[in-house]
Amino acid sequence: RAKCDGRGTFSFYDARLDQQLQDRRDLTRDLGQAIAQQQLALHFQPLFCAEDGALTGYEALARWPHPQRGFISPAVFISLAEESGLIEALGGWVLRQACTEAAQWPAPLTVAVNLSAAQFRRGDLVGEVRQCLQETGLPPERLELEVTESLLIGSPEAVADTLKALTGLGVRIAMDDFGTGYSSLAYLWRFPFHKLKIDRAFTQHLENDPKVRVIVRSIISLAHSLDIRVNAEGVETDGQRAALQGLGCDELQGFLLGRPAPVEALTHRARRVVKTVVEPAGA
Ligand code: C2E
Ligand code: MG
Ligand code: MG
Ligand code: MG
């Protein structure tokens, strides 16, 4: 593309690209060190029962306080880790740390851990989870593993086997960011999900777009018919909260109700999410 441009921009882009690549290499090196030196942290975001506001558990979210650059977004460092193979070490640390913390929480609070597709492709994920539960003493039903649709496009048979083995341990599986990826309905049939997490993009448009309401209503109804619970991510306003309650969503998560916070800050308290249901117009 740059070659067709006869105005001498070639070397300009080339240098920029070079800089970006070098930047990624530097960051990847730093990330490797951060993992080895246990400089990553976990934050926990609360999940609440939509019906009565009871705290149901927390999602563990990795944080990387870079010594020079401050907090780097997980969107950046998770993909670096996936590309470089560091995801196994990172994912292993997150799992271990999350289960260790959750084992201290009052039952039946759960912890949700995000898994990257790369963790399914390499290593012995099932063995790792089993060992982690044994060593931390966390009851399996209090661990929820979040996977995304991207996981399911590669080798669905192998993934289905792994997911079945994981549910065989007693852990729960949640499909994260539902509706943003490939969203094949066949996934709901072929994989043993306990929960769907409706992506923040839907929650965001719930109040002002009737079509989004129809879609969310259908997702919830479909999930419930299949005995799958539904979480809505990214709840930021009271209107969204009320609309989701009106649509029969089971669980709410978002800045309105609680931001991700370090474990020291967790209070394990319910939130008053008084049910002032708004029946969505035109639905
Ligand atoms: P996710 O699993 O969908 O996590 C939810 C993201 O939405 C988190 O971003 C959370 O801070 C953010 N969020 C929650 N409520 C709200 C809200 O009301 N408004 C807005 N604007 N955002 C909200 P975060 O922590 O930046 O993580 C981004 C993504 O990085 C996660 O998306 C997940 O896919 C990935 N990630 C984070 N930690 C890990 C990890 O330990 N392992 C893996 N494999 N991925 C991780
Ligand atoms: Mg998640
Ligand atoms: Mg999500
Ligand atoms: Mg997301």
Side-chain angles (χ1 to χ4, degrees), residues 59 61 114 146 176-177 197 233:
E59 175 172 3
L61 294 160
N114 293 283
E146 297 192 2
D176 205 353
D177 304 339
K197 300 188 72 175
E233 299 189 289

mmCIF file of all heavy atoms in Angstrom, residues 59 61 114 146 176-177 197 233, ligand 2:
data_model
loop_
_atom_site.group_PDB
_atom_site.id
_atom_site.type_symbol
_atom_site.label_atom_id
_atom_site.label_comp_id
_atom_site.label_asym_id
_atom_site.label_seq_id
_atom_site.Cartn_x
_atom_site.Cartn_y
_atom_site.Cartn_z
ATOM 1 N N GLU A 59 -15.904 -10.585 39.645
ATOM 2 C CA GLU A 59 -15.066 -10.962 38.515
ATOM 3 C C GLU A 59 -13.653 -10.455 38.780
ATOM 4 O O GLU A 59 -13.448 -9.296 39.137
ATOM 5 C CB GLU A 59 -15.598 -10.340 37.213
ATOM 6 C CG GLU A 59 -14.662 -10.630 36.025
ATOM 7 C CD GLU A 59 -15.223 -10.211 34.673
ATOM 8 O OE1 GLU A 59 -16.322 -9.626 34.614
ATOM 9 O OE2 GLU A 59 -14.522 -10.481 33.668
ATOM 10 N N LEU A 61 -10.148 -9.181 37.597
ATOM 11 C CA LEU A 61 -9.628 -8.484 36.418
ATOM 12 C C LEU A 61 -8.163 -8.144 36.656
ATOM 13 O O LEU A 61 -7.809 -7.530 37.670
ATOM 14 C CB LEU A 61 -10.453 -7.229 36.150
ATOM 15 C CG LEU A 61 -11.918 -7.517 35.750
ATOM 16 C CD1 LEU A 61 -12.815 -6.309 35.975
ATOM 17 C CD2 LEU A 61 -11.995 -7.990 34.292
ATOM 18 N N ASN A 114 -11.336 -14.817 33.875
ATOM 19 C CA ASN A 114 -11.325 -14.791 32.408
ATOM 20 C C ASN A 114 -10.253 -15.728 31.865
ATOM 21 O O ASN A 114 -9.108 -15.700 32.319
ATOM 22 C CB ASN A 114 -11.039 -13.372 31.904
ATOM 23 C CG ASN A 114 -12.162 -12.414 32.225
ATOM 24 O OD1 ASN A 114 -13.205 -12.413 31.563
ATOM 25 N ND2 ASN A 114 -11.973 -11.614 33.259
ATOM 26 N N GLU A 146 -14.750 -17.626 32.583
ATOM 27 C CA GLU A 146 -15.348 -16.861 31.493
ATOM 28 C C GLU A 146 -14.557 -17.076 30.207
ATOM 29 O O GLU A 146 -13.339 -16.896 30.179
ATOM 30 C CB GLU A 146 -15.374 -15.364 31.836
ATOM 31 C CG GLU A 146 -16.239 -15.054 33.050
ATOM 32 C CD GLU A 146 -16.505 -13.570 33.223
ATOM 33 O OE1 GLU A 146 -16.044 -12.754 32.384
ATOM 34 O OE2 GLU A 146 -17.185 -13.216 34.215
ATOM 35 N N ASP A 176 -18.603 -14.899 27.839
ATOM 36 C CA ASP A 176 -18.370 -13.467 28.055
ATOM 37 C C ASP A 176 -18.670 -12.683 26.778
ATOM 38 O O ASP A 176 -18.602 -13.246 25.679
ATOM 39 C CB ASP A 176 -16.893 -13.271 28.434
ATOM 40 C CG ASP A 176 -16.656 -12.017 29.246
ATOM 41 O OD1 ASP A 176 -17.584 -11.222 29.423
ATOM 42 O OD2 ASP A 176 -15.508 -11.847 29.709
ATOM 43 N N ASP A 177 -18.976 -11.411 26.930
ATOM 44 C CA ASP A 177 -19.128 -10.499 25.784
ATOM 45 C C ASP A 177 -20.103 -11.037 24.746
ATOM 46 O O ASP A 177 -19.890 -10.872 23.539
ATOM 47 C CB ASP A 177 -17.766 -10.241 25.105
ATOM 48 C CG ASP A 177 -16.733 -9.697 26.074
ATOM 49 O OD1 ASP A 177 -17.129 -9.158 27.129
ATOM 50 O OD2 ASP A 177 -15.531 -9.811 25.781
ATOM 51 N N LYS A 197 -22.994 -13.622 29.433
ATOM 52 C CA LYS A 197 -22.797 -12.240 29.824
ATOM 53 C C LYS A 197 -23.035 -11.357 28.610
ATOM 54 O O LYS A 197 -22.267 -11.397 27.640
ATOM 55 C CB LYS A 197 -21.386 -12.031 30.387
ATOM 56 C CG LYS A 197 -21.128 -12.909 31.612
ATOM 57 C CD LYS A 197 -19.826 -12.586 32.280
ATOM 58 C CE LYS A 197 -19.877 -11.270 33.008
ATOM 59 N NZ LYS A 197 -18.621 -11.019 33.773
ATOM 60 N N GLU A 233 -23.431 -6.771 31.459
ATOM 61 C CA GLU A 233 -22.207 -6.041 31.788
ATOM 62 C C GLU A 233 -22.381 -4.560 31.515
ATOM 63 O O GLU A 233 -23.191 -4.160 30.670
ATOM 64 C CB GLU A 233 -21.067 -6.498 30.868
ATOM 65 C CG GLU A 233 -20.694 -7.941 30.952
ATOM 66 C CD GLU A 233 -19.420 -8.191 30.145
ATOM 67 O OE1 GLU A 233 -19.451 -8.142 28.907
ATOM 68 O OE2 GLU A 233 -18.391 -8.425 30.779
HETATM 69 MG MG MG B 2 -15.016 -11.202 31.713
#
